[in-house]
Each structure stands twice: as structure tokens, then as C-alpha cells.
Amino acid sequence: GGGVREGQEFGASSPKRLWERDTDSHGTAVASHVIGFETGSFFVDGVAPGAVIIPLKVFPNGEAETFSSRIVAALAYVTELRQSGRVGPTVVNLSLGGSRPSLLERRAIGDAISAGLIVVSSAGNRGEAGMDWPAAYPEVISVGAVGWTGQFRPGTVDEPNTAFWWTNDVGN
């Protein structure tokens, strides 16, 4: 690899700066769990309130799918930042997943880990059907969430029964 060159999408001087025009905000929501957020006059602490966020948008606005090459390019960029000493200890959050592994993504993840980065990815929403990739790789820290019993309708995986936990008094 020749490294990141000026003008590339994930370069520091990139004119695209897609993260500034985010229309989906999934990554912004995940970042708020890390650094915290304000709601009205109340501040909710994140798990690492002093962390610096380096936003790298790999999904085009409004799209539910992306190319592996975009994920690989983002991983290569942050790996280069680490190797050059421009960032210190760094956690790479991949709030994404797919049903099939990608050799190119796994290699980029391996390069990132070899450079001293910690890679974390969402386990997915498939329940007992198994984890999504890249979270399923043993070298990646997978992160999952749980819901209330009955939150998901019988026979569905992707459609949470939000009315259940909004309208029911759920005991401890």
C-alpha cells in the first residue's frame, strides 16, 4: 500500500468531508455513547468522555449498503494515522456488519491490529442465527445489546416491537 494521499476521501484535507453532511446519523448516535450527549439541560456521560472522535463515513448518505473497499479505505487511513504517530491509543468502532466474511476487510483489520489499534464491531441483530462479520472474527471485539423479553415479534429478527417496551410497565 502506498498510504493515504491528499484528496482521498479519508484524508485529513478531503474536500468531501461527508461526515459533515450526514443524513443517517447512526455513527453520530454511536459516538454519543462514547463521549456523552446533552438532552435539554441534562448531560449524559459517555463511557469515554475525553475521547477524540475521528469520523470516517463508509456508508453514503441514506444508504443501507456499502462497498468493502470503503471500509478497507477507512481502516487503512486510521492504521496509517497510528503508524505515523499522529494518533495514540485508538479504538476503531465498526458499527456495521454483514452476513458474509470479506477477506479484504479481514486483512485491513489485521493490519490495524498489528499497528496497535483495537477493533470493535457490532455483533448484529440476528440473535441465535449468529454474529455478523466482521464481529465474528476472533480478533475483533464484538459488541451486542439486549432487549426486553418480548421486544421482538415472534418470527422476526429485524423488526423490534417498540410498542412493547414503550407501553408496558416492565418490572425489574
Side-chain angles (χ1 to χ4, degrees), residues 1 11 21 28 35 45 50 56-60 62 68 70 72 98 100 113-114 117 132 152:
R21 297 185 304 276
T28 303
I35 60 174
D45 278 331
L56 301 175
K57 188 167 184 59
V58 297
F59 284 84
S68 283
R70 292 178 61 84
V72 169
R100 292 178 303 222
I113 292 170
S114 293
L117 299 167
D132 282 351
F152 289 90

Side-chain angles (χ1 to χ4, degrees), residues 31 59 78 97 108 148 153:
F59 284 84
V78 75
W148 301 107
R153 296 178 184 100

Side-chain angles (χ1 to χ4, degrees), residues 5-75:
R5 292 177 299 280
E6 182 143 346
Q8 287 183 330
E9 183 167 356
F10 298 113
S13 63
S14 171
K16 293 183 181 180
R17 298 176 67 101
L18 293 175
W19 58 271
E20 290 182 336
R21 297 185 304 276
D22 186 16
T23 60
D24 179 47
S25 300
H26 176 70
T28 303
V30 172
S32 73
H33 294 291
V34 175
I35 60 174
F37 60 94
E38 195 172 310
T39 177
S41 62
F42 186 70
F43 187 81
V44 178
D45 278 331
V47 295
V52 173
I53 303 293
I54 303 170
L56 301 175
K57 188 167 184 59
V58 297
F59 284 84
N61 280 332
E63 297 294 323
E65 296 181 5
T66 191
F67 292 105
S68 283
S69 59
R70 292 178 61 84
I71 297 167
V72 169
L75 285 164

Side-chain angles (χ1 to χ4, degrees), residues 100-121:
R100 292 178 303 222
S102 162
L103 182 60
L104 293 176
E105 289 175 23
R106 187 168 192 184
R107 177 148 186 179
I109 288 167
D111 291 346
I113 292 170
S114 293
L117 299 167
I118 298 168
V119 179
V120 179
S121 183

